[in-house]
Amino acid sequence: MIHTDVVIVGAGPCGLFQLFERGLLGLQAEVVQSIRQPGGQCTELYPDKPIYDIPAIPVCTGEELTDALLKQIEPFDCGMHLGQEVREVVRNDDGFYVRTG
């Protein structure tokens, strides 16, 4: 069993950025992603397609965006559970229990 402050469901760009934000706040975070690689749809559906709507980046590919986000979270000890789905969330006296599979 893993104890953590935050569980993030999905390792797409938003989930990866949340790992970064939680790290800045000093919170331990774990991410659960159903596909076997981080990046979500950006890497799964269009890794080479140009993306034009990322703030402060005129153009990048899904793969480039994912690589940059992964580099950004390197300083933080984030758990990444790829190829898993959240099966159950239960609240108990100590917080929440999240079962994956």
Side-chain angles (χ1 to χ4, degrees):
M1 185 179 310
I2 299 170
H3 295 289
T4 188
D5 297 314
V6 179
V7 174
I8 298 167
V9 180
C14 291
L16 294 175
F17 189 68
Q18 285 306 306
L19 286 172
F20 171 70
E21 289 291 320
R22 298 313 117 201
L24 289 178
L25 293 172
L27 298 172
Q28 176 60 42
E30 303 282 324
V31 67
V32 180
Q33 171 65 46
S34 62
I35 60 177
R36 298 197 181 281
Q37 62 186 3
Q41 290 184 11
C42 287
T43 54
E44 191 71 13
L45 300 178
Y46 47 90
D48 299 324
K49 181 181 175 187
I51 302 172
Y52 299 100
D53 59 352
I54 306 298
I57 300 175
V59 64
C60 69
T61 65
E63 185 175 6
E64 291 169 337
L65 176 60
T66 301
D67 290 345
L69 289 163
L70 290 170
K71 185 162 184 61
Q72 190 175 39
I73 64 171
E74 280 180 2
F76 308 109
D77 185 25
C78 305
M80 202 164 294
H81 308 276
L82 304 174
Q84 296 185 35
E85 296 180 3
V86 172
R87 302 286 187 188
E88 181 180 25
V89 178
V90 176
R91 185 176 182 146
N92 59 31
D93 293 338
D94 296 326
F96 291 89
Y97 170 79
V98 178
R99 184 174 63 86
T100 64

XYZ file of all heavy atoms in Angstrom:
776
model
N 0.837 -1.169 0.000
C 0.000 0.000 0.000
C 0.888 1.240 0.000
O 1.891 1.297 0.702
C -0.913 0.004 1.229
C -1.894 1.148 1.204
S -3.059 1.240 2.585
C -3.704 -0.388 2.665
N 0.513 2.219 -0.781
C 1.264 3.469 -0.894
C 0.498 4.566 -0.167
O -0.710 4.721 -0.369
C 1.455 3.855 -2.377
C 2.248 2.772 -3.094
C 2.121 5.209 -2.499
C 2.274 2.931 -4.596
N 1.187 5.327 0.663
C 0.578 6.484 1.322
C 1.062 7.737 0.614
O 2.262 7.902 0.379
C 0.965 6.533 2.797
C 0.431 5.380 3.587
N -0.901 5.255 3.887
C 1.043 4.297 4.103
C -1.088 4.157 4.571
N 0.090 3.541 4.712
N 0.134 8.620 0.260
C 0.481 9.838 -0.469
C -0.480 10.950 -0.088
O -1.545 10.703 0.492
C 0.471 9.578 -1.996
O 0.992 10.714 -2.672
C -0.936 9.290 -2.505
N -0.118 12.182 -0.426
C -0.992 13.321 -0.162
C -2.059 13.480 -1.241
O -3.179 13.883 -0.961
C -0.171 14.617 -0.106
C 0.840 14.613 1.025
O 0.466 14.233 2.149
O 1.997 14.982 0.782
N -1.688 13.178 -2.494
C -2.562 13.448 -3.635
C -2.492 12.292 -4.623
O -1.406 11.790 -4.910
C -2.124 14.748 -4.361
C -2.997 15.035 -5.569
C -2.121 15.932 -3.418
N -3.649 11.897 -5.151
C -3.716 10.949 -6.264
C -4.305 11.702 -7.452
O -5.387 12.289 -7.350
C -4.584 9.719 -5.936
C -4.747 8.829 -7.170
C -3.977 8.931 -4.798
N -3.596 11.693 -8.558
C -4.040 12.347 -9.791
C -4.422 11.253 -10.775
O -3.637 10.331 -11.010
C -2.925 13.248 -10.362
C -2.594 14.354 -9.358
C -3.321 13.820 -11.718
C -1.316 15.109 -9.644
N -5.606 11.361 -11.332
C -6.068 10.377 -12.303
C -5.826 10.951 -13.695
O -6.422 11.950 -14.071
C -7.563 10.047 -12.101
C -8.019 9.026 -13.133
C -7.800 9.526 -10.684
N -4.906 10.325 -14.416
C -4.575 10.747 -15.779
C -3.229 11.441 -15.847
O -2.963 12.400 -15.122
N -2.352 10.932 -16.729
C -1.013 11.498 -16.903
C -0.912 12.224 -18.235
O 0.108 12.195 -18.903
C 0.047 10.411 -16.799
N -2.004 12.882 -18.634
C -1.958 13.772 -19.789
C -1.289 15.068 -19.373
O -0.781 15.205 -18.246
N -1.286 16.065 -20.254
C -0.629 17.335 -19.919
C -1.133 17.961 -18.619
O -0.332 18.442 -17.814
C -0.937 18.225 -21.121
C -1.080 17.265 -22.248
C -1.739 16.051 -21.657
N -2.434 17.946 -18.384
C -2.966 18.539 -17.141
C -2.527 17.747 -15.918
O -2.151 18.336 -14.901
C -4.483 18.617 -17.201
S -5.071 19.817 -18.402
N -2.580 16.425 -15.994
C -2.148 15.598 -14.873
C -0.670 15.772 -14.578
O -0.262 15.868 -13.414
N 0.156 15.813 -15.621
C 1.599 16.005 -15.426
C 1.888 17.376 -14.821
O 2.745 17.511 -13.946
C 2.346 15.817 -16.746
C 2.321 14.403 -17.327
C 2.999 14.376 -18.692
C 2.953 13.397 -16.380
N 1.162 18.396 -15.279
C 1.371 19.730 -14.705
C 0.924 19.765 -13.250
O 1.540 20.441 -12.419
C 0.653 20.800 -15.525
C 1.011 22.194 -15.096
C 2.288 22.696 -15.299
C 0.082 22.991 -14.458
C 2.634 23.977 -14.877
C 0.409 24.271 -14.040
C 1.686 24.773 -14.248
N -0.119 19.017 -12.904
C -0.547 18.945 -11.508
C 0.514 18.290 -10.635
O 0.688 18.679 -9.479
C -1.887 18.220 -11.384
C -3.058 19.052 -11.832
C -3.109 20.391 -11.111
O -3.109 20.459 -9.882
N -3.138 21.464 -11.879
N 1.226 17.305 -11.171
C 2.350 16.725 -10.415
C 3.372 17.809 -10.083
O 3.884 17.879 -8.965
C 3.016 15.608 -11.222
C 2.264 14.296 -11.334
C 2.961 13.380 -12.329
C 2.136 13.617 -9.982
N 3.655 18.666 -11.045
C 4.599 19.764 -10.850
C 4.080 20.731 -9.783
O 4.804 21.090 -8.847
C 4.820 20.491 -12.174
C 5.605 21.764 -12.042
C 6.951 21.737 -11.738
C 4.993 22.983 -12.222
C 7.675 22.907 -11.616
C 5.700 24.166 -12.104
C 7.051 24.129 -11.794
N 2.828 21.142 -9.912
C 2.247 22.091 -8.958
C 2.225 21.522 -7.544
O 2.536 22.220 -6.582
C 0.824 22.468 -9.384
C 0.775 23.347 -10.618
C 1.305 24.745 -10.364
O 1.022 25.328 -9.291
O 2.018 25.262 -11.236
N 1.847 20.255 -7.391
C 1.825 19.626 -6.064
C 3.244 19.546 -5.501
O 3.454 19.714 -4.309
C 1.233 18.226 -6.094
C -0.202 18.063 -6.536
C -1.167 19.008 -5.922
N -1.716 19.821 -7.013
C -2.286 20.998 -6.889
N -2.402 21.573 -5.735
N -2.750 21.648 -7.927
N 4.216 19.267 -6.363
C 5.606 19.223 -5.918
C 6.069 20.569 -5.383
O 6.772 20.637 -4.366
N 5.676 21.657 -6.055
C 6.037 22.992 -5.568
C 5.446 23.272 -4.193
O 6.036 24.002 -3.398
C 5.540 24.068 -6.551
C 6.270 24.165 -7.886
C 5.622 25.239 -8.751
C 7.750 24.459 -7.696
N 4.293 22.680 -3.922
C 3.644 22.873 -2.629
C 4.164 21.912 -1.559
O 3.718 21.946 -0.417
C 2.127 22.687 -2.781
C 1.418 23.735 -3.620
C -0.033 23.338 -3.859
C 1.509 25.102 -2.966
N 5.090 21.039 -1.947
C 5.659 20.087 -1.000
C 4.769 18.895 -0.712
O 4.945 18.221 0.295
N 3.835 18.616 -1.606
C 2.935 17.480 -1.433
C 3.430 16.285 -2.231
O 3.886 16.434 -3.373
C 1.517 17.847 -1.893
C 0.844 18.981 -1.125
C -0.461 19.373 -1.800
C 0.606 18.565 0.313
N 3.353 15.123 -1.649
C 3.701 13.885 -2.346
C 2.516 13.519 -3.246
O 1.382 13.485 -2.795
C 3.977 12.766 -1.360
C 4.257 11.420 -1.995
C 5.467 11.443 -2.912
O 6.471 12.039 -2.588
N 5.358 10.785 -4.039
N 2.781 13.248 -4.521
C 1.708 12.934 -5.460
C 2.009 11.658 -6.227
O 3.164 11.353 -6.535
C 1.501 14.092 -6.433
N 0.945 10.934 -6.528
C 0.991 9.731 -7.354
C -0.001 9.942 -8.487
O -1.068 10.524 -8.283
C 0.565 8.500 -6.548
C 1.371 8.241 -5.296
C 2.714 7.610 -5.559
O 2.820 6.777 -6.488
O 3.664 7.929 -4.833
N 0.344 9.480 -9.688
C -0.571 9.587 -10.823
C -0.894 8.187 -11.330
O -0.034 7.313 -11.359
C -0.004 10.486 -11.943
C 1.213 9.885 -12.598
C -1.061 10.786 -12.988
N -2.157 7.985 -11.695
C -2.629 6.721 -12.256
C -3.063 6.994 -13.688
O -3.864 7.904 -13.937
C -3.815 6.159 -11.438
C -4.301 4.853 -12.039
C -3.423 5.977 -9.986
N -2.531 6.226 -14.631
C -2.809 6.428 -16.061
C -3.163 5.093 -16.703
O -2.430 4.126 -16.547
C -1.579 7.026 -16.745
C -1.635 7.091 -18.245
C -2.719 8.019 -18.746
O -2.878 9.133 -18.276
N -3.492 7.558 -19.710
N -4.260 5.046 -17.438
C -4.715 3.780 -18.018
C -3.839 3.310 -19.180
O -3.701 2.109 -19.391
C -6.173 3.878 -18.465
O -6.316 4.848 -19.471
N -3.261 4.227 -19.940
C -2.370 3.783 -21.015
C -0.969 3.582 -20.449
O -0.667 4.003 -19.333
C -2.378 4.750 -22.229
C -1.934 6.154 -21.839
C -3.732 4.763 -22.890
C -1.852 7.119 -23.009
N -0.108 2.948 -21.211
C 1.202 2.527 -20.695
C 2.313 3.562 -20.854
O 3.484 3.249 -20.666
C 1.614 1.223 -21.357
C 0.656 0.101 -21.042
C 1.262 -1.253 -21.351
N 0.331 -2.318 -21.063
C 0.076 -2.807 -19.856
N 0.697 -2.324 -18.820
N -0.785 -3.783 -19.696
N 1.946 4.787 -21.178
C 2.944 5.850 -21.274
C 2.320 7.162 -20.813
O 1.117 7.345 -20.947
C 3.465 5.978 -22.695
C 2.397 6.344 -23.713
C 2.937 6.326 -25.125
O 4.084 5.991 -25.357
N 2.114 6.702 -26.066
N 3.118 8.059 -20.270
C 2.572 9.362 -19.897
C 2.322 10.210 -21.139
O 2.886 9.957 -22.201
C 3.673 9.969 -19.024
C 4.922 9.274 -19.436
C 4.521 7.910 -19.916
N 1.471 11.190 -21.000
C 1.200 12.117 -22.101
C -0.238 12.105 -22.569
O -0.660 12.995 -23.289
N -0.985 11.094 -22.176
C -2.402 11.035 -22.548
C -2.609 11.036 -24.052
O -1.850 10.424 -24.808
N -3.644 11.745 -24.487
C -3.972 11.784 -25.911
C -2.857 12.393 -26.746
O -2.690 12.045 -27.912
C -5.264 12.570 -26.121
C -6.480 11.854 -25.619
C -7.752 12.609 -25.935
O -7.760 13.572 -26.691
N -8.844 12.164 -25.334
N -2.086 13.305 -26.150
C -0.997 13.946 -26.912
C 0.014 12.935 -27.432
O 0.516 13.076 -28.541
C -0.287 14.983 -26.048
S -1.239 16.467 -25.780
N 0.322 11.920 -26.649
C 1.279 10.919 -27.114
C 0.589 9.718 -27.747
O 1.165 9.063 -28.603
C 2.190 10.430 -25.966
O 1.383 9.975 -24.895
C 3.105 11.524 -25.494
N -0.635 9.453 -27.331
C -1.343 8.283 -27.841
C -1.936 8.515 -29.236
O -1.865 7.650 -30.101
C -2.455 7.894 -26.860
C -3.091 6.564 -27.134
C -2.190 5.376 -26.839
O -1.139 5.526 -26.193
O -2.554 4.269 -27.272
N -2.503 9.690 -29.454
C -3.226 9.940 -30.709
C -2.472 10.794 -31.717
O -2.623 10.599 -32.917
C -4.578 10.598 -30.401
C -5.520 9.793 -29.514
C -6.790 10.577 -29.255
C -5.835 8.448 -30.139
N -1.702 11.767 -31.245
C -1.028 12.658 -32.194
C 0.332 13.134 -31.684
O 0.565 14.327 -31.503
C -1.922 13.856 -32.547
C -2.586 14.547 -31.379
C -1.961 15.604 -30.722
C -3.836 14.159 -30.949
C -2.569 16.245 -29.667
C -4.460 14.794 -29.891
C -3.816 15.843 -29.258
O -4.425 16.468 -28.203
N 1.271 12.206 -31.497
C 2.586 12.603 -30.972
C 3.367 13.524 -31.906
O 4.186 14.307 -31.447
C 3.310 11.279 -30.774
C 2.629 10.328 -31.702
C 1.200 10.777 -31.761
N 3.119 13.449 -33.226
C 3.873 14.255 -34.189
C 3.084 15.438 -34.746
O 3.609 16.212 -35.534
C 4.346 13.385 -35.353
C 5.276 12.276 -34.882
O 6.056 12.523 -33.944
O 5.208 11.170 -35.427
N 1.820 15.568 -34.366
C 0.972 16.643 -34.870
C 1.301 17.954 -34.151
O 1.456 17.967 -32.927
C -0.497 16.284 -34.651
C -1.456 17.320 -35.149
C -2.887 16.894 -34.884
C -3.833 18.002 -35.267
N -5.203 17.701 -34.878
N 1.390 19.061 -34.876
C 1.664 20.346 -34.222
C 0.501 20.766 -33.308
O -0.665 20.608 -33.658
C 1.811 21.336 -35.376
C 1.953 20.515 -36.601
C 1.348 19.181 -36.330
N 0.853 21.303 -32.154
C -0.112 21.850 -31.210
C 0.171 23.346 -31.110
O 1.311 23.753 -30.913
C 0.031 21.190 -29.822
C -0.162 19.683 -29.925
C -0.959 21.797 -28.837
C 0.163 18.947 -28.640
N -0.864 24.153 -31.263
C -0.688 25.609 -31.309
C -1.297 26.346 -30.119
O -1.225 27.563 -30.055
C -1.323 26.156 -32.592
C -0.711 25.605 -33.848
C -1.340 24.584 -34.544
C 0.504 26.085 -34.336
C -0.776 24.064 -35.706
C 1.077 25.573 -35.482
C 0.432 24.560 -36.167
O 0.983 24.043 -37.304
N -1.927 25.650 -29.189
C -2.673 26.359 -28.139
C -2.099 26.183 -26.739
O -2.817 26.237 -25.748
C -4.138 25.939 -28.167
C -4.343 24.448 -27.950
O -3.342 23.696 -27.930
O -5.497 24.029 -27.800
N -0.793 26.018 -26.625
C -0.135 25.931 -25.320
C 0.406 27.322 -24.975
O 1.151 27.902 -25.762
C 1.026 24.903 -25.342
C 0.551 23.540 -25.846
C 1.680 24.809 -23.970
C -0.508 22.889 -24.998
N 0.029 27.875 -23.817
C 0.507 29.213 -23.461
C 2.026 29.323 -23.525
O 2.739 28.440 -23.056
C 0.007 29.387 -22.017
C -1.175 28.472 -21.920
C -0.837 27.291 -22.799
N 2.508 30.394 -24.118
C 3.930 30.748 -24.218
C 4.736 29.846 -25.138
O 5.947 30.001 -25.246
C 4.582 30.814 -22.841
N 4.103 28.883 -25.811
C 4.800 28.024 -26.768
C 4.098 28.176 -28.120
O 2.956 27.727 -28.270
C 4.787 26.544 -26.318
C 5.462 26.390 -24.964
C 5.461 25.660 -27.371
C 5.388 24.999 -24.381
N 4.744 28.800 -29.095
C 4.081 29.021 -30.392
C 3.627 27.728 -31.073
O 2.525 27.661 -31.613
C 5.135 29.746 -31.229
C 6.072 30.347 -30.229
C 6.063 29.418 -29.041
N 4.468 26.692 -31.040
C 4.105 25.407 -31.638
C 4.990 24.316 -31.048
O 6.171 24.548 -30.766
C 4.214 25.428 -33.182
C 5.651 25.641 -33.628
C 3.641 24.164 -33.799
N 4.408 23.148 -30.807
C 5.165 21.982 -30.365
C 4.357 20.750 -30.726
O 3.176 20.840 -31.036
C 5.459 22.018 -28.863
S 4.013 21.801 -27.824
N 5.000 19.593 -30.671
C 4.278 18.345 -30.911
C 3.822 17.778 -29.560
O 4.286 18.208 -28.502
C 5.173 17.304 -31.609
O 6.235 16.939 -30.720
C 5.727 17.823 -32.925
N 2.933 16.800 -29.614
C 2.498 16.142 -28.388
C 3.653 15.496 -27.657
O 3.724 15.528 -26.422
N 4.558 14.915 -28.406
C 5.731 14.279 -27.791
C 6.639 15.319 -27.139
O 7.133 15.104 -26.025
C 6.500 13.482 -28.838
C 7.649 12.699 -28.274
C 8.335 11.818 -29.306
O 8.008 11.890 -30.506
O 9.209 11.057 -28.898
N 6.852 16.446 -27.806
C 7.691 17.506 -27.227
C 7.069 18.072 -25.949
O 7.770 18.319 -24.968
C 7.907 18.628 -28.243
C 8.777 18.246 -29.405
C 8.779 19.265 -30.531
O 7.823 20.059 -30.647
O 9.758 19.251 -31.308
N 5.756 18.262 -25.970
C 5.068 18.769 -24.788
C 5.205 17.787 -23.623
O 5.540 18.181 -22.502
C 3.595 19.020 -25.104
C 2.722 19.464 -23.932
C 3.224 20.775 -23.339
C 1.276 19.580 -24.381
N 4.985 16.519 -23.894
C 5.100 15.501 -22.849
C 6.520 15.439 -22.306
O 6.729 15.384 -21.090
C 4.664 14.132 -23.386
O 3.304 14.228 -23.825
C 4.792 13.048 -22.333
N 7.513 15.463 -23.188
C 8.911 15.435 -22.749
C 9.234 16.624 -21.847
O 9.925 16.476 -20.832
C 9.860 15.416 -23.947
C 9.833 14.104 -24.699
O 9.314 13.092 -24.161
O 10.327 14.079 -25.851
N 8.738 17.807 -22.206
C 8.992 19.007 -21.399
C 8.332 18.895 -20.027
O 8.927 19.263 -19.011
C 8.497 20.253 -22.141
N 7.110 18.383 -19.990
C 6.418 18.217 -18.710
C 7.110 17.180 -17.833
O 7.238 17.373 -16.614
C 4.957 17.844 -18.953
C 4.085 18.973 -19.507
C 2.800 18.415 -20.098
C 3.796 20.008 -18.439
N 7.583 16.093 -18.430
C 8.313 15.078 -17.661
C 9.610 15.647 -17.101
O 9.998 15.339 -15.968
C 8.574 13.846 -18.517
C 7.343 13.002 -18.853
C 7.686 11.944 -19.893
C 6.749 12.369 -17.600
N 10.290 16.481 -17.876
C 11.513 17.116 -17.391
C 11.198 18.060 -16.233
O 11.953 18.147 -15.265
C 12.210 17.865 -18.521
C 13.545 18.458 -18.122
C 14.370 18.789 -19.324
C 15.744 19.294 -18.963
N 16.549 18.351 -18.211
N 10.058 18.737 -16.325
C 9.665 19.684 -15.295
C 9.402 19.008 -13.948
O 9.648 19.596 -12.896
C 8.416 20.440 -15.766
C 8.023 21.613 -14.929
C 6.850 22.361 -15.533
O 5.921 21.766 -16.058
N 6.896 23.672 -15.458
N 8.922 17.766 -13.965
C 8.616 17.086 -12.698
C 9.785 16.258 -12.161
O 9.680 15.682 -11.083
C 7.352 16.196 -12.815
C 7.557 15.058 -13.800
C 6.133 17.036 -13.133
C 6.440 14.028 -13.816
N 10.893 16.208 -12.887
C 12.049 15.416 -12.437
C 12.500 15.717 -11.012
O 12.859 14.799 -10.282
C 13.229 15.590 -13.397
C 13.124 14.759 -14.642
C 14.307 14.963 -15.577
O 15.244 15.726 -15.243
O 14.288 14.357 -16.660
N 12.502 16.989 -10.555
C 12.989 17.259 -9.192
C 12.110 16.677 -8.087
O 12.541 16.597 -6.940
C 12.992 18.789 -9.093
C 12.935 19.280 -10.488
C 12.237 18.231 -11.292
N 10.897 16.278 -8.419
C 9.948 15.798 -7.411
C 9.842 14.282 -7.481
O 9.931 13.684 -8.533
C 8.587 16.457 -7.619
C 8.678 17.946 -7.709
C 8.475 18.594 -8.912
C 9.005 18.701 -6.595
C 8.579 19.966 -9.002
C 9.117 20.075 -6.673
C 8.904 20.718 -7.886
N 9.631 13.672 -6.343
C 9.522 12.221 -6.260
C 8.072 11.815 -6.503
O 7.324 11.582 -5.563
C 10.011 11.751 -4.888
C 10.046 10.248 -4.775
O 10.163 9.571 -5.807
O 9.940 9.751 -3.644
N 7.679 11.775 -7.775
C 6.296 11.462 -8.140
C 6.176 9.989 -8.496
O 6.989 9.457 -9.240
C 5.868 12.281 -9.355
S 6.074 14.038 -9.138
N 5.148 9.366 -7.988
C 4.873 7.994 -8.385
C 4.029 7.984 -9.643
O 3.081 8.755 -9.770
N 4.382 7.141 -10.592
C 3.640 7.055 -11.838
C 3.221 5.604 -12.042
O 4.056 4.722 -12.164
C 4.511 7.556 -13.001
C 3.686 7.993 -14.172
S 4.563 8.992 -15.384
C 4.934 10.474 -14.481
N 1.923 5.373 -12.068
C 1.349 4.038 -12.186
C 0.689 3.924 -13.555
O -0.484 4.293 -13.723
C 0.366 3.783 -11.040
C 0.978 4.074 -9.702
N 1.745 3.147 -9.032
C 0.991 5.193 -8.948
C 2.182 3.686 -7.906
N 1.735 4.925 -7.836
N 1.470 3.476 -14.531
C 1.015 3.415 -15.921
C 0.367 2.069 -16.207
O 0.721 1.056 -15.623
C 2.190 3.674 -16.857
C 2.940 4.991 -16.612
C 4.171 5.073 -17.489
C 2.036 6.185 -16.816
N -0.588 2.075 -17.131
C -1.297 0.850 -17.473
C -2.251 0.397 -16.382
O -2.583 -0.782 -16.300
N -2.678 1.327 -15.544
C -3.597 1.011 -14.452
C -4.786 1.968 -14.484
O -4.673 3.089 -14.957
C -2.898 1.131 -13.100
C -1.774 0.142 -12.917
C -1.192 0.227 -11.518
O -1.897 0.470 -10.549
N 0.119 0.029 -11.418
N -5.903 1.505 -13.955
C -7.102 2.333 -13.845
C -7.532 2.397 -12.395
O -7.306 1.463 -11.631
C -8.236 1.738 -14.681
C -7.957 1.722 -16.159
C -9.102 1.123 -16.959
O -10.151 0.759 -16.369
O -8.957 1.019 -18.180
N -8.163 3.489 -12.020
C -8.756 3.593 -10.685
C -10.011 2.742 -10.693
O -10.899 2.926 -11.516
C -9.074 5.056 -10.324
C -9.867 5.131 -9.024
C -7.792 5.868 -10.221
N -10.076 1.781 -9.806
C -11.207 0.854 -9.716
C -12.184 1.233 -8.611
O -13.361 0.938 -8.690
C -10.712 -0.581 -9.462
C -9.773 -1.108 -10.509
C -10.512 -1.451 -11.748
N -9.590 -2.114 -12.683
C -9.904 -2.390 -13.897
N -11.087 -2.093 -14.357
N -9.031 -2.962 -14.687
N -11.652 1.855 -7.554
C -12.501 2.137 -6.397
C -11.887 3.269 -5.586
O -10.675 3.341 -5.424
C -12.597 0.871 -5.540
C -13.455 0.975 -4.333
C -13.505 -0.328 -3.540
O -12.543 -1.138 -3.627
O -14.482 -0.519 -2.831
N -12.732 4.163 -5.085
C -12.310 5.213 -4.153
C -13.231 5.120 -2.945
O -14.452 5.200 -3.081
C -12.408 6.619 -4.786
C -12.001 7.685 -3.775
C -11.567 6.716 -6.046
N -12.631 4.928 -1.780
C -13.399 4.763 -0.548
C -12.872 5.743 0.482
O -11.662 5.828 0.702
C -13.279 3.318 -0.002
C -14.005 3.174 1.318
C -13.774 2.318 -1.019
N -13.778 6.470 1.105
C -13.378 7.368 2.190
C -13.387 6.591 3.504
O -14.321 5.845 3.785
C -14.333 8.544 2.276
C -13.899 9.557 3.305
C -14.802 10.755 3.322
N -14.286 11.684 4.303
C -14.356 12.977 4.205
N -14.959 13.520 3.176
N -13.853 13.741 5.136
N -12.323 6.769 4.305
C -12.266 6.149 5.629
C -11.820 7.192 6.647
O -11.676 8.364 6.307
C -11.372 4.903 5.624
C -9.951 5.203 5.193
O -9.439 6.292 5.428
N -9.291 4.251 4.563
N -11.585 6.792 7.868
C -11.218 7.741 8.933
C -9.888 8.435 8.678
O -9.670 9.537 9.168
C -11.182 7.016 10.284
C -12.541 6.558 10.742
O -13.561 7.129 10.277
O -12.611 5.617 11.555
N -9.005 7.795 7.927
C -7.672 8.359 7.664
C -7.620 9.174 6.372
O -6.580 9.730 6.059
C -6.640 7.237 7.569
C -6.498 6.484 8.880
O -6.625 7.123 9.933
O -6.291 5.262 8.840
N -8.669 9.241 5.616
C -8.667 9.952 4.340
C -9.403 9.141 3.288
O -10.583 8.837 3.431
N -8.671 8.762 2.254
C -9.257 7.993 1.160
C -8.378 6.786 0.843
O -7.162 6.836 0.969
C -9.397 8.851 -0.102
C -10.425 9.931 0.020
C -10.080 11.166 0.512
C -11.734 9.701 -0.363
C -11.027 12.177 0.633
C -12.687 10.690 -0.245
C -12.332 11.932 0.259
N -9.023 5.751 0.381
C -8.345 4.549 -0.128
C -8.681 4.463 -1.615
O -9.859 4.525 -1.984
C -8.851 3.310 0.610
C -8.404 2.009 -0.004
C -7.130 1.521 0.205
C -9.271 1.281 -0.808
C -6.715 0.332 -0.370
C -8.856 0.091 -1.388
C -7.588 -0.378 -1.163
O -7.175 -1.533 -1.737
N -7.655 4.349 -2.452
C -7.836 4.257 -3.900
C -7.292 2.911 -4.347
O -6.112 2.618 -4.136
C -7.116 5.408 -4.636
C -7.281 5.262 -6.131
C -7.620 6.754 -4.151
N -8.146 2.100 -4.962
C -7.726 0.795 -5.480
C -7.587 0.902 -6.997
O -8.466 1.422 -7.665
C -8.749 -0.297 -5.132
C -8.295 -1.704 -5.570
C -9.251 -2.778 -5.101
N -10.564 -2.646 -5.678
C -10.941 -3.152 -6.870
N -10.077 -3.803 -7.592
N -12.166 -2.995 -7.306
N -6.455 0.429 -7.494
C -6.212 0.447 -8.932
C -6.103 -0.982 -9.452
O -5.981 -1.929 -8.687
C -4.913 1.209 -9.277
O -3.804 0.522 -8.716
C -4.966 2.631 -8.767
N -6.113 -1.106 -10.748
C -5.951 -2.427 -11.346
C -5.781 -2.337 -12.833
O -5.818 -1.328 -13.445
